[in-house]
Amino acid sequence: MKPLMLQGHERAITQIKYNREGDLLFSAAKDSKPNVWWSLNGERLGTFNGHGGVVWCLDVDWQTINLITGGGDSSCRLWDLETGKNIATVKTNSSVRTCNFSFSAYQAAYTTDKAMGHPCEVFMIDTRTIDDSLSTQSPILKWEITDSKVTSMVWGTLDETIITGHEAGDLIQWDLRTGKKVHSVKEHTHQINDMQLSRDGTMFITASKDQTAKLFDTSSLELLKEYKTERPVNSAALSPILDHVVLGGGQDAMEVTTTSTRQGKFDARFFHLVFEEEFGRVKGHFGPINSLAFHPDGKSFASGGEDGYIRVQSFDQSYFDYTFDYNRD
């Protein structure tokens, strides 16, 4: 199947996400303008204008009513998806690195970088009514991160916890009733670039600069599986229908010019969830893959790269027919 090439960003893609139904694909990039696309034909539906710099992160609520974005212009913005209007802007002291709605979308969490004399902080805001008053309201909860800065985040079970991934490779689970640390593990040796939940939220996968992706239990942070490569992993996603994991990465952007695309450094790589073995690769990008997402129906996946392109690749029938040979005795 020929992939759809989505061209609408002038600079490197930072994050892509599908909505729950999978008819829309949202993308953030270093060019200050998040976009939304029809996933079926790759047509651009709209652009969200308002940020004054790189947009590091975005998330869409489960009803596809609102979008949250965080950027290098020291702001976290909320958007009405029907009109594309910026309905609330929360000013911060430094860049917003991660942002996520809770499952219910009654709250959102975002984290800021340690910069310009300000510490790395985690904020929780009430998103039941989104209007201008959000910019003046105090967050429901906020706490400082004294260790290495937060580089990725997911919500835990029943919206009671959040799990943060850090620059030093730590994973920390926080209780949202108290803002206290519940549990922490350090299974990675370098920065955690990306974290994504499984479809039912019981597991999540991390992608790290230490050239591995790892599967964890959401409630206990127990390490379940590990997927090894020979280069930094920028993003990893779990298939919603099969025991498959896709990894994407490459080396740092400054080394890209010295690498031939033929070397396979920029492929999306597929591993079996249970057996940890690689079974397929998809070529296409001219630079490292920065973000990956499976379509909610599991029949295609999207990748966003340092080259500014988003590729939506549908799977052939052979992908679904493929099975691992193993002894059932």
Side-chain angles (χ1 to χ4, degrees):
M1 291 282 287
K2 197 168 185 295
L4 295 171
M5 289 281 281
L6 280 47
Q7 296 169 262
H9 289 288
E10 294 164 6
R11 298 188 58 201
I13 308 296
T14 51
Q15 191 169 26
I16 57 172
K17 266 188 189 171
Y18 283 100
N19 65 342
R20 190 172 55 115
E21 290 81 17
D23 58 333
L24 299 177
L25 177 63
F26 295 84
S27 60
K30 293 183 179 175
D31 63 3
S32 80
K33 290 178 182 170
N35 284 344
V36 55
W37 316 75
W38 292 114
S39 62
L40 187 65
N41 56 13
E43 200 176 304
R44 182 158 59 166
L45 177 59
T47 302
F48 301 94
N49 298 316
H51 276 287
V54 52
V55 181
W56 289 119
C57 54
L58 52 72
D59 193 24
V60 55
D61 67 14
W62 71 285
Q63 288 182 297
T64 319
I65 294 171
N66 296 309
L67 177 75
I68 185 170
T69 57
D73 60 353
S74 301
S75 75
C76 183
R77 292 171 186 261
L78 290 116
W79 312 79
D80 183 313
L81 287 177
E82 196 174 346
T83 61
K85 285 198 170 74
N86 184 186
I87 45 176
T89 301
V90 182
K91 290 287 180 192
T92 57
N93 292 323
S94 56
S95 294
V96 177
R97 182 65 54 175
T98 66
C99 61
N100 281 311
F101 281 111
S102 64
F103 180 75
S104 64
Y106 288 167
Q107 296 112 20
Y110 62 91
T111 66
T112 57
D113 282 354
K114 181 179 180 180
M116 300 176 289
H118 296 287
C120 170
E121 292 181 298
V122 181
F123 294 85
M124 287 269 309
I125 54 173
D126 187 331
T127 49
R128 282 175 292 189
T129 50
I130 302 172
D131 53 32
D132 291 339
S133 65
L134 256 185
S135 55
T136 53
Q137 277 175 25
S138 300
I140 308 171
L141 197 61
K142 80 167 191 175
W143 64 90
E144 277 184 29
I145 304 291
T146 49
D147 311 323
S148 64
K149 77 169 187 184
V150 176
T151 50
S152 52
M153 170 184 65
V154 291
W155 281 79
T157 321
L158 298 174
D159 294 353
E160 290 173 355
T161 58
I162 60 169
I163 301 159
T164 52
H166 295 253
E167 199 170 31
D170 308 67
L171 281 172
I172 302 178
Q173 188 180 56
W174 305 88
D175 185 336
L176 294 180
R177 286 164 294 198
T178 59
K180 296 267 192 312
K181 188 189 293 190
V182 182
H183 197 38
S184 71
V185 295
K186 185 167 171 134
E187 298 289 355
H188 284 292
T189 55
H190 285 77
Q191 176 174 315
I192 297 171
N193 292 319
D194 186 28
M195 293 161 64
Q196 294 194 30
L197 289 165
S198 62
R199 184 168 200 165
D200 59 6
T202 56
M203 303 181 293
F204 67 93
I205 192 162
T206 56
S208 171
K209 217 170 176 178
D210 66 7
Q211 307 186 348
T212 65
K214 298 188 179 185
L215 188 70
F216 292 89
D217 182 277
T218 307
S219 52
S220 67
L221 299 193
E222 182 191 350
L223 176 63
L224 304 173
K225 296 289 173 185
E226 181 176 4
Y227 313 96
K228 294 178 182 170
T229 68
E230 323 72 55
R231 58 196 67 99
V233 185
N234 294 338
S235 187
L238 296 161
S239 168
I241 57 168
L242 296 168
D243 288 336
H244 293 171
V245 175
V246 61
L247 272 55
Q251 69 278 71
D252 292 334
M254 56 206 259
E255 297 169 20
V256 169
T257 49
T258 59
T259 306
S260 161
T261 52
R262 289 200 197 116
Q263 289 181 326
K265 298 265 193 218
F266 311 136
D267 299 355
R269 304 172 64 166
F270 286 82
F271 285 76
H272 194 280
L273 181 85
V274 181
F275 303 123
E276 305 175 356
E277 282 182 35
E278 187 179 353
F279 65 87
R281 293 190 184 190
V282 176
K283 292 185 169 60
H285 284 283
F286 300 105
I289 291 173
N290 291 337
S291 188
L292 286 163
F294 270 101
H295 190 286
D297 69 4
K299 293 178 181 173
S300 64
F301 80 102
S303 55
E306 190 71 28
D307 54 9
Y309 290 107
I310 301 161
R311 295 171 63 89
V312 179
Q313 179 83 53
S314 295
F315 295 119
D316 297 328
Q317 188 55 42
S318 57
Y319 168 82
F320 302 103
D321 295 341
Y322 179 72
T323 54
F324 259 72
D325 293 329
Y326 60 96
N327 190 349
R328 294 172 187 274
D329 295 339

